[in-house]
Amino acid sequence: MAKRKAENRSFLDKWEAEYLFTYVKDKPVCLVCGVNVAVSKEYNIRRHYETKHHDKYKDLDMTQRSQKVEEMKRSLVSQQNMFKKATSQSEAAVKASYIVAAEIAKSARPFNEGEFVKKCMMKVCDLVCPEKKQAFSNVSLSRNTVADRTCDLATNLYDQLMEKGKDFVAFSLAVDESCDASDTAQLSVFIRGVDSNLCVTEELLRFKSMHGTTTGKEIFEEVSKCVTEIKLAWDKLVGLTTDGAPAMCGKKSGLVGMVREKMQEENCAGELTVYHCIIHQESLCAKALKMEHVMTTVTQVVNFIRAKGLNHRQFTFFLEECGSEYADVPYHTEVRWLSRGKVLNRCFELREEICQFLETKGKDTAELREQKFLCELAFLCDISSHLDALNLQLQGRGRIITDMYAAVRAFKTKLCLWENQMLQGNPCHFPCCQTIKAQISTAVFPCAQFAEKLSVLAAEFSRRFADFDVQKCRFELLSNPFAVDVENAPTNIQMELIELQCNDTLKSKYDAVGAAQFPRFIPDTMPQLRTQAAQMLSMFGSTYLCEQLFSSMKMTKTTHRRRLTDEHLRSILRISSAQSLSPDIDELASKKRCQVSGLGTSD
């Protein structure tokens, strides 16, 4: 019975000519009117033909019927292709609107820039491919559409991050806070997670506008909320890096203290490693030189030249007349890490021209021409250049904490070398000092004084980076596991470490790929070493990503865009800061239908 029923419901080819039907997507379709028949039974198909179309086609013989069927089938295919093409063009228009919205967000431009882009597209289309004008017109880029697309893209990125978070075996957080153009406190939380394959994901976890106070408790609540929302286990939290503010670092009422308390409540076995941003500490070390009087004088000179338009114009014209290599002096901005070094270098190079210009303005330049001041300016200029070079080494995305620590250790070693050379009267690594020393007598140049300052700076580096020195053994396990003394290693990894160090194949792989990529090749038979590597790879050495995000924030939410909503600002910054992830535009477009927007209207 079942077999006969199945045969009765199979579409037979002869029905095409007899009843003018064809089979499309598992359903019989009438070639005349396009109606679908629910059940593929001859009785149903014959009844439809006899009641609807029999009178019109009853006089056709089988040859004529076959020709008519082929003609109708070609027409049906043509209609289907037309609909597919229309659907394809509609999806392409939606994808294009998402792509443009993403680029507008990345460039920190207003949402209504989409309307400007649309006008440009239409004008280009008129000249290059006028036959495609309708396709270009279908791309919706009104202000509201771009805003909605931006939110969709950000949500998609966050969903991807949540999905990736399920595979994290270790993660760390970088937390910082700053104010925007409307004086609203903005909290940024970045996550650096490592999965079982030791692949690193580094993305913005949360960007929260805090309209009230920003106490340690309130910051902790936001951090706790975002960790919970992404469904991460607290026992996988390895490190926490902050900007060193009291609300962040407080042992009881600060973020650090409350996170540790939370981990104790969750019965987490691991110990939380807390770091003050390496780049911040490196900048703070420079204050130990106590040469603010030199910087103050230089800043006053620069402000005199740049503050008034007339003085600035006359100074640039004066440099042009002198045939100077430089055309201007830059402002000094305290919050910009490399600003001081650039200002000092430029003022040192233009020291003679600056004095001459100030004298034409009736200013006293005796202090600027003093040998003591020139020596101090030269030394501060050189040491600032060295500190700026270290700062640049520490900046960037995806930096491994062991590499950052190695850069700091190298700088501390350099300071010891420079101190000894300065005591010997040989400032060979200080070009500005060499220039001034050649212009004045060697006896006048205060080598001993500058050697003492280098010693003080080295001591400050040792004091501020003591917490990193404590982790030296753990760092070596990642940077060079083959050189680690097994007896000094944690007991839970000693057996695996011996096997690793005795494996010539792994040693060859380490030499070939380097320390950064080697952990991925540690075999699964060494789970403790893989876990240790995952924890070290997940650690943030600085809050550079937060600082970079705040720079983007200031470019996005300017004084002209103060009414930008918290949701839109958050979405823009999530898109512009994304690196490990990219929006799935195909998935987003499949859920939207094309809406055509006019050039001057909003939808």
Side-chain angles (χ1 to χ4, degrees):
M1 182 69 182
K3 182 178 179 181
R4 189 172 68 183
K5 183 176 181 181
E7 288 176 353
N8 289 343
R9 295 193 179 187
S10 297
F11 187 85
L12 302 181
D13 293 338
K14 66 179 183 178
W15 294 348
E16 287 189 350
E18 289 180 8
Y19 308 121
L20 304 181
F21 263 78
T22 189
Y23 205 58
V24 178
K25 293 183 179 180
D26 300 329
K27 286 186 178 182
V29 177
C30 177
L31 289 170
V32 181
C33 63
V35 170
N36 296 332
V37 174
V39 181
S40 182
K41 292 176 66 176
E42 184 176 11
Y43 171 77
N44 295 344
I45 295 172
R46 184 175 64 248
R47 185 180 63 179
H48 173 86
Y49 171 74
E50 290 177 349
T51 57
K52 302 288 185 181
H53 312 298
H54 177 266
D55 293 341
K56 183 176 181 180
Y57 298 100
K58 64 181 179 180
D59 297 331
L60 297 179
D61 58 27
M62 290 304 296
T63 303
Q64 291 174 326
R65 279 178 173 274
S66 298
Q67 292 176 350
K68 191 66 176 178
V69 166
E70 291 301 321
E71 180 184 336
M72 289 179 173
K73 287 173 70 175
R74 285 195 297 270
S75 177
L76 178 62
V77 170
S78 177
Q79 291 176 15
Q80 290 174 335
N81 290 339
M82 182 180 68
F83 284 120
K84 287 181 180 178
K85 183 178 180 181
T87 303
S88 176
Q89 289 179 347
S90 176
E91 288 184 0
V94 175
K95 288 181 183 179
S97 70
Y98 273 114
I99 291 171
V100 173
E103 293 303 317
I104 289 174
K106 291 176 184 177
S107 61
R109 296 183 181 276
F111 295 139
N112 57 13
E113 287 287 302
E115 297 170 359
F116 171 73
V117 172
K118 180 77 172 280
K119 288 180 181 178
C120 295
M121 285 169 48
M122 298 307 296
K123 289 184 179 296
V124 170
C125 178
D126 288 340
L127 293 174
V128 178
C129 48
E131 71 281 1
K132 299 285 186 180
K133 186 171 182 177
Q134 185 59 48
F136 279 83
S137 179
N138 288 342
V139 181
S140 182
L141 292 175
S142 68
R143 182 192 181 282
N144 290 349
T145 299
V146 173
D148 291 342
R149 298 285 193 260
T150 301
C151 293
D152 291 343
L153 291 164
T155 301
N156 181 263
L157 286 170
Y158 184 73
D159 291 342
Q160 290 185 50
L161 181 60
M162 284 190 67
E163 192 63 28
K164 271 190 169 291
K166 296 177 181 178
D167 299 326
F168 289 166
V169 296
F171 72 94
S172 294
L173 302 175
V175 185
D176 201 353
E177 176 261 327
S178 184
C179 290
D180 60 22
S182 60
D183 292 328
T184 301
Q186 303 288 357
L187 180 70
S188 68
V189 182
F190 273 86
I191 187 171
R192 185 179 171 96
V194 180
D195 60 22
S196 57
N197 295 321
L198 299 183
C199 295
V200 179
T201 300
E202 196 176 69
E203 290 292 336
L204 176 65
L205 179 58
R206 193 176 191 85
F207 186 82
K208 176 65 176 178
S209 300
M210 305 183 72
H211 296 278
T213 56
T214 55
T215 62
K217 181 180 179 181
E218 290 166 327
I219 293 174
F220 167 73
E221 288 174 352
E222 292 299 331
V223 172
S224 178
K225 189 184 297 181
C226 65
V227 172
T228 303
E229 285 180 358
I230 203 172
K231 299 179 182 178
L232 291 171
W234 283 95
D235 60 353
K236 294 180 181 179
L237 178 60
V238 176
L240 177 62
T241 303
T242 69
D243 63 348
M248 299 285 186
C249 295
K251 294 182 179 180
K252 291 186 178 180
S253 59
L255 172 65
V256 170
M258 292 187 174
V259 169
R260 281 183 168 149
E261 184 179 342
K262 176 69 174 179
M263 293 181 70
Q264 289 177 358
E265 292 175 1
E266 297 288 333
N267 297 318
C268 300
E271 177 67 23
L272 178 68
T273 303
V274 177
Y275 291 121
H276 179 184
C277 172
I278 289 181
I279 301 178
H280 283 190
Q281 295 202 78
E282 183 264 353
S283 298
L284 292 172
C285 284
K287 296 184 181 296
L289 294 171
K290 295 184 178 180
M291 300 186 72
E292 290 82 2
H293 60 286
V294 177
M295 197 67 226
T296 299
T297 302
V298 170
T299 303
Q300 289 174 350
V301 170
V302 172
N303 288 345
F304 175 79
I305 294 173
R306 294 291 304 263
K308 292 185 177 181
L310 177 60
N311 288 348
H312 189 202
R313 291 194 301 272
Q314 290 176 337
F315 180 71
T316 55
F317 182 70
F318 177 75
L319 292 179
E320 185 179 345
E321 280 189 327
C322 295
S324 173
E325 180 182 352
Y326 304 101
D328 204 353
V329 289
Y331 266 125
H332 170 51
T333 308
E334 189 68 33
V335 295
R336 295 186 180 274
W337 289 324
L338 307 181
S339 172
R340 182 178 60 178
K342 292 179 180 179
V343 172
L344 287 168
N345 269 288
R346 186 62 57 84
C347 287
F348 181 82
E349 295 293 337
L350 294 174
R351 61 190 182 280
E352 187 59 37
E353 289 87 345
I354 288 174
C355 287
Q356 292 176 13
F357 177 76
L358 292 178
E359 287 169 355
T360 63
K361 291 291 185 177
K363 295 292 182 179
D364 183 14
T365 60
E367 181 183 3
L368 297 178
R369 294 185 181 277
E370 284 181 1
Q371 291 184 345
K372 179 184 177 182
F373 176 81
L374 289 174
C375 291
E376 290 179 335
L377 175 63
F379 174 76
L380 187 58
C381 182
D382 284 331
I383 195 63
S384 295
S385 295
H386 289 308
L387 287 167
D388 288 350
L390 173 61
N391 194 296
L392 287 172
Q393 278 185 278
L394 300 175
Q395 292 184 36
R397 294 193 68 132
R399 299 304 307 272
I400 301 175
I401 194 170
T402 53
D403 293 342
M404 301 176 77
Y405 175 67
V408 172
R409 283 175 54 206
F411 191 80
K412 288 162 65 176
T413 305
K414 291 176 184 178
L415 285 172
C416 294
L417 173 66
W418 296 336
E419 180 187 353
N420 293 332
Q421 290 176 336
M422 194 66 76
L423 284 172
Q424 298 169 8
N426 178 27
C428 56
H429 297 288
F430 291 70
C432 295
C433 289
Q434 287 180 303
T435 301
I436 293 298
K437 188 178 178 183
Q439 295 177 358
I440 63 177
S441 62
T442 304
V444 175
F445 192 82
C447 289
Q449 177 187 340
F450 294 153
E452 176 63 25
K453 289 190 176 297
L454 290 171
S455 176
V456 171
L457 185 59
E460 185 69 6
F461 263 81
S462 297
R463 183 183 72 84
R464 286 194 172 274
F465 292 100
D467 52 346
F468 287 89
D469 293 333
V470 172
Q471 302 289 334
K472 182 179 178 181
C473 182
R474 292 182 68 189
F475 290 162
E476 289 177 347
L477 284 170
L478 179 65
S479 60
N480 191 2
F482 294 93
V484 174
D485 185 353
V486 176
E487 293 185 2
N488 294 331
T491 55
N492 65 319
I493 66 170
Q494 286 178 341
M495 298 299 101
E496 293 182 7
L497 188 58
I498 291 174
E499 294 177 14
L500 177 74
Q501 292 180 349
C502 295
N503 191 313
D504 293 334
T505 302
L506 291 176
K507 181 65 170 69
S508 300
K509 179 62 71 173
Y510 174 84
D511 294 335
V513 302
Q517 299 297 325
F518 175 70
R520 298 182 184 180
F521 297 95
I522 299 176
D524 294 335
T525 55
M526 302 178 182
Q528 295 297 329
L529 281 176
R530 287 182 66 86
T531 300
Q532 184 73 21
Q535 292 176 349
M536 296 307 301
L537 286 171
S538 72
M539 286 189 183
F540 281 105
S542 73
T543 57
Y544 171 82
L545 292 179
C546 298
E547 299 289 350
Q548 188 182 49
L549 187 75
F550 291 142
S551 295
S552 299
M553 175 190 73
K554 293 183 184 300
M555 292 175 60
T556 302
K557 191 173 181 179
T558 62
T559 54
H560 301 291
R561 297 184 74 189
R562 288 186 176 181
R563 296 180 64 185
L564 189 68
T565 66
D566 294 342
E567 181 187 6
H568 287 156
L569 178 61
R570 180 169 58 250
S571 298
I572 291 170
L573 295 180
R574 186 176 292 281
I575 294 169
S576 62
S577 65
Q579 182 163 328
S580 304
L581 306 174
S582 57
D584 189 345
I585 293 178
D586 290 338
E587 178 187 348
L588 290 170
S590 66
K591 299 176 181 178
K592 295 283 185 179
R593 85 182 158 83
C594 178
Q595 294 178 334
V596 181
S597 65
L599 295 181
T601 62
S602 298
D603 52 36

